[in-house]
Amino acid sequence: MKDDSKSTPATETPAAGRRRFIGSAALAGLTLGVAACADKKSEGGAAAPAAGGSAAASGHAADAIHLKPGELDTYYGLWSGGHTGDMRVLGLPSGREITRIPCFVPDALVGWGITNESKAVMGTKPDGSLRYTVADTHHTHASYKDGNYDGRYAWINDKINARVARIRLDYFVCDKITDLPNVQGFHGIFPDKRDPVDEKINYTTRVFCGGEFAIPLPNAGIEDASKYRSLFTCVDAESMDVRWQVLIDGNCDLVATSYDGKLAATNQYNTEMGAHYEDMMSAERDACLFFNVARIEAAVKAGKFKTIGDSKVPVVDGTRESNKDPKTALTAYVSVPKNPHGVNASPDGKYFICAGKLSPTATVIELSKVLDWFDGKQEKLDGAIVAEVELGLGPLHTAFDGRGNAYTTLFLDSQVVKWNVDKAIAFHKGDKTVKYVVDRLDLHYQPGHLNATQSETMAADGKYLAVGCKFSKDRFLPVGPLHPENEQFIDISGEKMVLLADHPVRGEPHDFIIFKRDLVKPKQVYTLDEFPNAVKDPKESGVFRKGNKVEVRLTSQAPAFSLREFKLKKGDIVTLTLTNLDKVEDLTHGFAIPKYNVNFIVNPQETASVTFVADKPGVFWCYCTHFCHALHLEMRTRMIVEA
Ligand SMILES: [Cu+2]
């Protein structure tokens, strides 16, 4: 493996027909790949001189990322936050992180997981504590209209606890979290791009979620792993209710959807349904599993489903055995080389591309031929594969520039390879003189996800490419054993890729999307009516008691809270509601209660509440924690708890 990865020069087009399937040494290879990178650096005498790297140092391209003070970025990037369970918002091309939107994990800035409103979104146990405080977000995608983002919503997954969160892109806040029933290891996520049947619905109404880990269904402790199954889940984009699930053989990894709304697909790396890694990589080929959305929904409507355990969600049968007849099949298992990773839809709407991971190839699947198979017009499903071409070692994810080129990360080679899809198809058809690889660029190091500006939309513009490198090694000042990851930004507007910048990011983001800034219209001041519990006038402030249940209602207007003090009795169950009546953009207040573990913010015209037991008598200075005014330090109120 080590030899293989080192013997692939940066500009080599892989030899025709050569197959370097990664065998049992693959896992060792992942480590060796890292070592190989260090070698590259020492060989070059400087940090990896990438193809086109000298242009980055001297040309105008690199200047693009250095915005002058006051200049705004031209693109938004929505990044998954990994373990921090949030969505990160970056500006591109500068790469500056602008905000983080907490979703699954408590956040101390906002008071996410502290306020009643955020706890209602996150979900609580009967005692009021949070159900979960850990998460593992991987993929983030946004809602579509007419093949482009429409600025309504974004979604993000939590792999650990099988939850999907929705972010409202008018306020950049998480407003709903849905549990996927009977799913473990919820990985890939993708909204549909239009309805498969209703012409008028040219926008996202469904979100598809892939279950990665097969489990006993219902989960009742069966030890024979070959009997475990996974579910592919459809969530309603508006209500966030789970609409239906499909029982499948194998697993779901990443998810892609077609522009006509008819197909969704997931790559499967464990068609063996093995429980251990050597079982999971024993077969030479796995699958890209297609879902016929209209047929699945017709089957649900016709009552051809079962339910699993306590869940009432209809589950249709998408297993191989039940879907052999194309004319009635709900699913189609297209054979692709072993342990693929990443399935991505080309912006022309024609192809899904499955990256090989343990195979050095990418497989191009023509969607019209998959639909023909479902219609009985394409005899062999394999005929939908129009190219299976070598790219390099460890291909993972693919992005597009809208000019017919694909960009695929090579994890083991630490490269991104630019290749032309039409030329790859011509090569696959038999013209071995065609050079489908356009360019290669060394990355630092071990890239996972990548995405280009507007990549998976019909408006792919081929300006910039971002790559999430899993290892940063020597690219930043050392900060102890935990290294940041390295997001690299690349100019892809020309024939050659030009490396523009390294950005350290805290682990561990995975996927991201980048889109033009005018596709979202964020509001910077809330509307009071968004909050049914708003304290709309300072005169409504006060302490309202019913036995030991006490409501404290107050407002904030710089530099004062509407109550100068409020009195409670020890043992009171207190709900404190605060509305920020300031209407000025950027005038956020905070509210902290010492020794009571309370701190949250209220943005202009926002209302938030907290509930706690007044169990400690004394005087507690509640103070503003978000700098708001010259008299910010004076902005306080006294909570007096009588013994
Ligand atoms: Cu304040």
Side-chain angles (χ1 to χ4, degrees):
M1 268 325 309
K2 188 178 180 185
D3 289 341
D4 254 5
S5 82
K6 285 187 73 176
S7 69
T8 309
T11 51
E12 181 205 15
T13 302
R18 190 152 47 105
R19 287 286 181 274
R20 289 179 295 193
F21 285 104
I22 297 163
S24 57
L27 294 188
L30 301 186
T31 315
L32 290 173
V34 178
C37 276
D39 292 345
K40 275 176 197 167
K41 187 192 172 239
S42 57
E43 281 162 19
S54 56
S58 59
H60 296 297
D63 297 340
I65 63 163
H66 298 298
L67 297 184
K68 293 192 186 88
E71 281 184 351
L72 299 182
D73 281 295
T74 43
Y75 295 90
Y76 281 98
L78 302 182
W79 255 246
S80 77
H83 303 204
T84 51
D86 50 10
M87 180 184 283
R88 300 173 189 170
V89 183
L90 273 63
L92 272 295
S94 76
R96 298 178 292 198
E97 184 181 294
I98 303 168
T99 191
R100 295 184 176 195
I101 306 164
C103 299
F104 299 110
V105 173
D107 180 87
L109 170 70
V110 173
W112 192 252
I114 295 287
T115 65
N116 294 326
E117 291 71 22
S118 60
K119 285 167 94 173
V121 174
M122 296 172 83
T124 52
K125 296 179 197 167
D127 70 358
S129 63
L130 293 172
R131 278 188 312 152
Y132 303 114
T133 53
V134 296
D136 179 24
T137 65
H138 283 235
H139 301 110
T140 175
H141 290 285
S143 56
Y144 285 79
K145 186 179 183 186
D146 287 328
N148 198 357
Y149 300 123
D150 65 1
R152 281 184 298 147
Y153 299 124
W155 290 272
I156 190 163
N157 76 314
D158 167 26
K159 180 168 170 173
I160 299 173
N161 294 310
R163 296 176 293 168
V164 54
R166 181 174 71 184
I167 283 88
R168 282 175 59 166
L169 290 178
D170 53 354
Y171 291 116
F172 279 66
V173 292
C174 172
D175 75 330
K176 293 230 177 190
I177 291 178
T178 295
D179 283 51
L180 308 182
N182 297 305
V183 171
Q184 273 181 32
F186 156 39
H187 193 196
I189 182 171
F190 219 105
D192 69 357
K193 300 186 179 96
R194 58 167 305 124
D195 191 87
V197 180
D198 190 337
E199 293 249 315
K200 281 176 290 199
I201 303 176
N202 60 345
Y203 52 88
T204 293
T205 57
R206 303 167 182 80
V207 182
F208 299 113
C209 310
E212 187 175 348
F213 304 155
I215 53 171
L217 294 171
N219 197 351
I222 302 166
E223 283 179 22
D224 180 359
S226 69
K227 294 194 169 61
Y228 300 174
R229 289 293 178 277
S230 301
L231 294 166
F232 182 79
T233 304
C234 174
V235 173
D236 189 286
E238 205 54 51
S239 70
M240 289 290 283
D241 294 334
V242 178
R243 279 199 195 176
W244 44 258
Q245 295 180 300
V246 185
L247 182 76
I248 60 158
D249 291 323
N251 66 341
C252 303
D253 194 15
L254 282 294
V255 176
T257 60
S258 65
Y259 285 87
D260 61 10
K262 291 177 180 170
L263 295 169
T266 183
N267 66 290
Q268 300 193 293
Y269 66 76
N270 186 18
T271 51
E272 301 91 335
M273 294 189 278
H276 310 107
Y277 79 86
E278 65 270 24
D279 308 324
M280 296 180 199
M281 52 190 274
S282 59
E284 281 306 310
R285 293 184 78 86
D286 284 296
C288 183
L289 167 56
F290 283 81
F291 299 89
N292 187 320
V293 178
R295 275 194 197 168
I296 288 166
E297 298 201 339
V300 170
K301 212 172 177 183
K304 293 177 189 165
F305 62 81
K306 60 175 185 176
T307 58
I308 298 172
D310 297 335
S311 166
K312 292 188 174 61
V313 172
V315 180
V316 298
D317 187 350
T319 57
R320 285 174 186 266
E321 191 58 33
S322 305
N323 290 275
K324 284 181 175 164
D325 181 0
K327 289 194 173 144
T328 56
L330 309 179
T331 56
Y333 294 74
V334 177
S335 169
V336 300
K338 75 186 298 169
N339 296 68
H341 190 67
V343 55
N344 296 95
S346 64
D348 58 9
K350 288 189 197 166
Y351 309 111
F352 280 4
I353 291 171
C354 238
K357 191 169 80 181
L358 297 197
S359 159
T361 55
T363 302
V364 183
I365 302 166
E366 189 167 338
L367 302 184
S368 63
K369 294 188 173 177
V370 176
L371 288 170
D372 283 349
W373 180 84
F374 277 118
D375 291 341
K377 288 186 256 171
Q378 167 88 20
E379 199 186 330
K380 286 200 167 162
L381 195 47
D382 289 355
I385 294 176
V386 292
E388 201 169 282
V389 291
E390 251 188 68
L391 297 177
L393 291 182
L396 292 187
H397 298 282
T398 301
F400 305 92
D401 63 9
R403 298 186 292 270
N405 300 305
Y407 299 77
T408 302
T409 46
L410 302 174
F411 184 82
L412 295 179
D413 280 342
S414 272
Q415 284 185 338
V416 58
V417 53
K418 175 182 179 182
W419 54 288
N420 183 279
V421 178
D422 284 343
K423 286 182 178 173
I425 293 169
F427 180 90
H428 182 83
K429 266 188 189 160
D431 184 354
K432 301 303 179 196
T433 64
V434 174
K435 289 200 176 353
Y436 54 88
V437 171
V438 182
D439 191 22
R440 290 174 187 275
L441 182 71
D442 284 348
L443 300 170
H444 319 91
Y445 304 88
Q446 262 66 39
H449 275 277
L450 82 173
N451 225 329
T453 44
Q454 295 279 148
S455 175
E456 277 185 278
T457 72
M458 294 179 100
D461 65 3
K463 286 261 171 77
Y464 299 104
L465 182 74
V467 185
C469 296
K470 290 294 166 200
F471 297 84
S472 63
K473 296 174 67 69
D474 50 6
R475 302 293 277 194
F476 305 107
L477 288 174
V479 287
L482 177 62
H483 291 231
E485 296 187 15
N486 185 12
E487 302 286 318
Q488 294 198 300
F489 296 144
I490 296 159
D491 185 321
I492 56 167
S493 58
E495 182 82 349
K496 290 266 181 198
M497 294 177 277
V498 179
L499 182 62
L500 300 177
D502 289 350
H503 285 277
V505 295
R506 191 160 189 237
E508 121 135 4
H510 292 261
D511 205 1
F512 42 85
I513 57 171
I514 309 164
F515 53 87
K516 286 186 174 160
R517 69 183 183 196
D518 54 5
L519 290 174
V520 289
K521 303 265 183 291
K523 300 175 189 175
Q524 299 188 310
V525 174
Y526 276 101
T527 308
L528 275 183
D529 295 338
E530 292 268 352
F531 307 95
N533 57 340
V535 186
K536 292 188 175 174
D537 191 305
K539 288 181 205 134
E540 294 173 23
S541 305
V543 178
F544 306 92
R545 174 178 293 277
K546 273 187 192 163
N548 70 338
K549 292 214 166 134
V550 180
E551 275 198 65
V552 178
R553 293 171 63 75
L554 73 169
T555 61
S556 60
Q557 270 174 302
F561 294 110
S562 58
L563 296 177
R564 288 169 178 270
E565 66 258 323
F566 54 96
K567 283 186 181 163
L568 302 169
K569 292 188 180 122
K570 189 184 171 196
D572 282 348
I573 300 163
V574 183
T575 295
L576 182 146
T577 304
L578 172 63
T579 297
N580 182 3
L581 290 180
D582 276 316
K583 289 181 184 166
V584 181
E585 201 180 297
D586 205 6
L587 216 171
T588 296
H589 294 291
F591 194 88
I593 311 177
K595 313 296 182 190
Y596 271 87
N597 198 40
V598 168
N599 186 20
F600 62 96
I601 58 168
V602 275
N603 292 296
Q605 301 283 292
E606 185 182 14
T607 297
S609 67
V610 286
T611 297
F612 58 93
V613 178
D615 55 0
K616 290 171 280 286
V619 171
F620 301 89
W621 282 106
C622 307
Y623 68 101
C624 179
T625 47
H626 205 92
F627 209 105
C628 60
H629 189 276
L631 291 171
H632 169 65
L633 292 178
E634 289 82 350
M635 187 165 176
R636 303 189 210 165
T637 178
R638 271 182 303 164
M639 180 171 91
I640 301 161
V641 182
E642 295 169 340

